[in-house]
Amino acid sequence: MRTVYVNGEYLPEHEAKISIFDRGFLMSDGVYEVTTVLDGKLISFDGHAGRLLRSLRELDMSPPCDMDELLGIHRELVRLNEIENGLIYLQVTRGSDGDRDFVFPDPEATKPTLVMFTQSKPNLANNPAAGKGIKVISIDDIRWGRRDIKTVQLLYPSMGKMMAKAAGCDDAWLVEDGKVTEGTSNNAYIVKNGRIITRELSNDILHGITRAAVLRYAREAQMEVEERSFSIDEAKQADEAFVTSASTFVMPVVEIDGTPLGDGTPGPVAKRLREIYLEESLKTAI
Ligand code: PDD
């Protein structure tokens, strides 16, 4: 049984409780982060903490604690749950003022809710899907306009995954105004003539922590990187494609809307980036 964290307490998972009036539950009024644990250490903690502070600021929410304390809670959960490889999920909501109201409660009187739990994933780094690659479909991106804020409004991304599943695929790429924004829970890339192409940062996509690291490592390895949007047609004609996220690292994409990319197996750039990412991020893990 897991030990989880709720508002200052470490508890067995079945004893952890939050109010039915919590705004995360009633209004999706909350933000989250997912941080990877490899060999018992946290990958890119500073990146996740920085993005959490930014998400909170954009929503006029105050941090539930300082970031050193947050690091301590991550580490304590890793220790208590004996996590070697896996994920830490963190959610901060605007809390509960004991009723339902669209107006934000007074932040002095209503403290944010902080919930954290671990997910053990022994095969995270040796995920067999990375050897085969994943198949994606494209769907309309009908999410709200502030996808740079990592909110817990994940209904449409969940529906996208279900649409992909129903089509016999693994995931969906979201398309707006003819251009791919990102995957349901990852950033999207194509590779053409050795050049890595991924959408530029804006409010249209989540600013992936893995994206930032992968682009940095790619540039350091003298690979060409171009930050611009691309269409599904361009993606279908690419040599290869991949997605990145904290939980999948660099995951090759081998088929888009039924069209195989290249020879239909993971491409060399995605494979190399996955290796580099795992190696480099372990070096700086804390
Ligand atoms: N998802 N884009 C979206 C819409 C995401 O939900 C995520 C992360 C990413 C990649 O961000 P990062 O590299 O910081 O993980 C991009 C997490 C893993 C999730 O919801 O489980």
Side-chain angles (χ1 to χ4, degrees):
M1 194 209 308
R2 270 180 295 197
T3 300
V4 303
Y5 176 92
V6 187
N7 293 329
E9 284 187 291
Y10 295 91
L11 296 166
E13 59 184 52
H14 66 267
E15 286 177 25
K17 290 188 177 58
I18 60 158
S19 166
I20 65 158
F21 300 113
D22 193 279
R23 291 180 60 91
F25 177 62
L26 293 180
M27 310 252 175
S28 297
D29 188 356
V31 300
Y32 76 108
E33 283 296 330
V34 176
T35 303
T36 305
V37 181
L38 285 179
D39 296 346
K41 290 185 174 166
L42 302 164
I43 305 293
S44 303
F45 176 80
D46 288 348
H48 289 285
R51 185 172 62 190
L52 174 67
L53 290 175
R54 179 179 182 278
S55 292
L56 292 169
R57 198 165 56 237
E58 292 299 309
L59 296 174
D60 287 330
M61 281 166 67
S62 43
C65 60
D66 73 40
M67 294 302 108
D68 284 343
E69 200 179 336
L70 199 68
L71 174 59
I73 303 168
H74 278 76
R75 286 182 162 155
E76 184 62 359
L77 281 177
V78 168
R79 191 186 71 78
L80 290 169
N81 294 289
E82 298 175 4
I83 303 294
E84 262 304 298
N85 295 298
L87 304 170
I88 302 185
Y89 178 84
L90 166 165
Q91 177 167 335
V92 183
T93 78
R94 206 182 302 272
S96 156
D97 65 352
D99 203 353
R100 178 177 182 271
D101 192 339
F102 281 80
V103 174
F104 292 172
D106 173 3
E108 291 304 316
T110 301
K111 295 291 161 225
T113 299
L114 172 61
V115 169
M116 286 174 56
F117 59 82
T118 54
Q119 294 181 301
S120 177
K121 308 240 179 221
N123 289 325
L124 199 59
N126 324 311
N127 185 347
K132 278 187 13 203
I134 60 165
K135 298 176 179 178
V136 303
I137 57 167
S138 63
I139 60 173
D140 279 347
D141 194 343
I142 60 167
R143 297 172 302 162
W144 80 326
R146 290 303 306 273
R147 301 151 191 162
D148 57 310
I149 308 173
K150 198 163 172 58
T151 74
V152 295
Q153 305 173 88
L154 296 178
L155 184 53
Y156 189 66
S158 289
M159 290 170 74
K161 288 251 199 237
M162 296 313 290
M163 289 183 239
K165 227 175 133 178
C169 292
D170 306 290
D171 206 350
W173 278 13
L174 306 169
V175 178
E176 185 175 58
D177 299 332
K179 297 286 164 62
V180 174
T181 50
E182 58 188 333
T184 56
S185 58
N186 42 58
N187 290 114
Y189 307 71
I190 56 173
V191 181
K192 188 70 179 179
N193 300 326
R195 183 186 282 259
I196 300 159
I197 300 161
T198 193
R199 193 179 176 106
E200 70 282 4
L201 296 180
S202 70
N203 291 351
D204 299 336
I205 63 171
L206 187 75
H207 301 190
I209 301 305
T210 320
R211 177 190 183 280
V214 164
L215 293 187
R216 186 169 73 248
Y217 300 145
R219 286 177 171 125
E220 283 168 9
Q222 315 300 329
M223 294 168 154
E224 272 185 77
V225 175
E226 198 179 338
E227 294 183 61
R228 64 159 172 87
S229 54
F230 56 85
S231 66
I232 285 291
D233 278 345
E234 184 180 2
K236 284 181 179 170
Q237 285 158 29
D239 301 324
E240 50 177 298
F242 60 92
V243 294
T244 65
S245 75
S247 51
T248 60
F249 313 131
V250 177
M251 179 61 68
V253 170
V254 293
E255 193 183 295
I256 301 174
D257 285 340
T259 302
L261 300 184
D263 65 1
T265 65
V269 173
K271 275 200 240 170
R272 171 114 195 274
L273 280 175
R274 184 178 175 87
E275 281 166 19
I276 300 178
Y277 175 78
L278 281 168
E279 201 181 298
E280 292 300 317
S281 48
L282 266 171
K283 280 188 202 161
T284 51
I286 58 168

